[in-house]
Amino acid sequence: MAKKDDGSRVRDALRVGAELPDPGSAPVGPGKKPKALAKLGSAGERLSKLQEALYAEGVSGGQRSVLLVLQGMDTSGKGGTVSHVLGLVNPMGVRYAGFKAPTVSERRHHYLWRIRKQLPDAGQIGVFDRSHYEDILVPRVSGLLSASERRRRYGEINAFEQELADAGTTVVKVFLHISPDEQLRRLKARLETPEKHWKYNPGDLEARSHWPAYQDAYADIFKKTSTGHAPWYVVPADHKWYRNWAVAELLIETLADLKPEFPEPGFDVAAELKKLKGVGVPS
């Protein structure tokens, strides 16, 4: 993917294409860590203002929301993205959901049942750390999902995301693209750092052993479910500083297009200010 200048739209540059960008590249925007960190600071101010307007709009009866879907191999930085990007905004306007293997109770329902329960309310930015796509990825790689069942699920998911779009939820699907070499470094760091032991899961090595199968599964998902109403974006994730900047910009561009507006007050502002002039300190 050719590098574009900083003035290019990030969504255009990172929208999934026939070939994925190098996991260590910077297809658009800052190419060095210091510049990316500086830009993330200013991005945080813009993102916070847009999110506050969306939240105020929802509180006042608006129906729009945003859903950020984060997918990627283990250690690609889904949790880190949530912390560094969504940590820039008011938590009152964020709804986070992390999806692990379904419980026994959840398996009694359709796989989208637990997903629907975690959708953002009006005015919120919802964040899915893994998502309904796990219900294609894992069973496919494990050999538990037939080709016909896989096609059926693609259709169900596309219909589900169209339903969300029709109801006012803008879906932003992001694949955090990490290289196997960088994943190995991060797994090793988790074992060598006591404070990171809690992040390590021995099962991660089992998933890593199926790396090519997971890449094929993701390629098929992009082909079958990147739509006009819910496109996929690929964010190179070997560099955490670039990953965080890119996801923040994707959200900023999405919210800027929505143009959320603060609601008009349901009272006379001038009259209320006049009242305040005569208000003293409570005794």
Side-chain angles (χ1 to χ4, degrees), residues 71-122:
Q71 286 286 157
M73 298 294 287
D74 298 314
T75 77
S76 60
K78 296 177 287 295
T81 300
V82 173
S83 175
H84 288 91
V85 177
L86 278 304
L88 298 171
V89 303
N90 189 331
M92 288 180 61
V94 177
R95 181 169 186 176
Y96 167 85
F99 294 98
K100 300 183 182 299
T103 65
V104 173
S105 175
E106 288 170 340
R107 287 194 186 97
R108 297 193 186 105
H109 300 270
H110 188 276
Y111 66 92
L112 289 176
W113 176 80
R114 65 174 183 160
I115 304 297
R116 291 182 180 277
K117 291 176 63 179
Q118 300 294 343
L119 291 172
D121 292 330

Side-chain angles (χ1 to χ4, degrees), residues 12 15 17-18 49-50 66 84 87 91 102 165 176 197 202 239 260 270:
D12 291 343
R15 186 159 179 166
K49 290 179 181 178
L50 287 164
V66 172
H84 288 91
L176 301 177
H197 285 173
H239 299 301

Side-chain angles (χ1 to χ4, degrees), residues 8-43:
S8 300
R9 291 173 65 85
V10 177
R11 286 180 298 177
D12 291 343
L14 298 182
R15 186 159 179 166
V16 70
E19 295 184 6
L20 302 188
D22 186 291
S25 67
V28 63
K32 299 294 183 180
K33 184 176 181 178
K35 189 173 183 180
L37 293 179
K39 283 182 171 290
L40 184 61
S42 61

Side-chain angles (χ1 to χ4, degrees), residues 91-160:
M92 288 180 61
V94 177
R95 181 169 186 176
Y96 167 85
F99 294 98
K100 300 183 182 299
T103 65
V104 173
S105 175
E106 288 170 340
R107 287 194 186 97
R108 297 193 186 105
H109 300 270
H110 188 276
Y111 66 92
L112 289 176
W113 176 80
R114 65 174 183 160
I115 304 297
R116 291 182 180 277
K117 291 176 63 179
Q118 300 294 343
L119 291 172
D121 292 330
Q124 290 184 324
I125 297 177
V127 188
F128 282 179
D129 181 342
R130 300 188 188 273
S131 68
H132 39 296
Y133 286 98
E134 293 295 305
D135 292 286
I136 290 179
L137 283 163
V138 176
R140 170 179 171 151
V141 172
S142 303
L144 302 176
L145 196 66
S146 67
S148 61
E149 177 64 14
R150 189 164 65 242
R151 287 192 296 271
R152 185 176 70 81
R153 292 193 179 189
Y154 286 145
E156 290 176 337
I157 286 174
N158 285 336
F160 168 62

Side-chain angles (χ1 to χ4, degrees), residues 5 7 31 33 38 53 64 72 81 86 112 115 130 150 164 167 193 215 230 236 247 258 260 271 274-275 277:
D5 61 33
K33 184 176 181 178
R64 299 188 299 176
T81 300
L86 278 304
L112 289 176
I115 304 297
R130 300 188 188 273
R150 189 164 65 242
L164 295 182
T193 309
Q215 302 310 302
V247 175
L258 291 177
K274 187 175 181 179
K275 290 179 186 177
K277 291 181 178 180

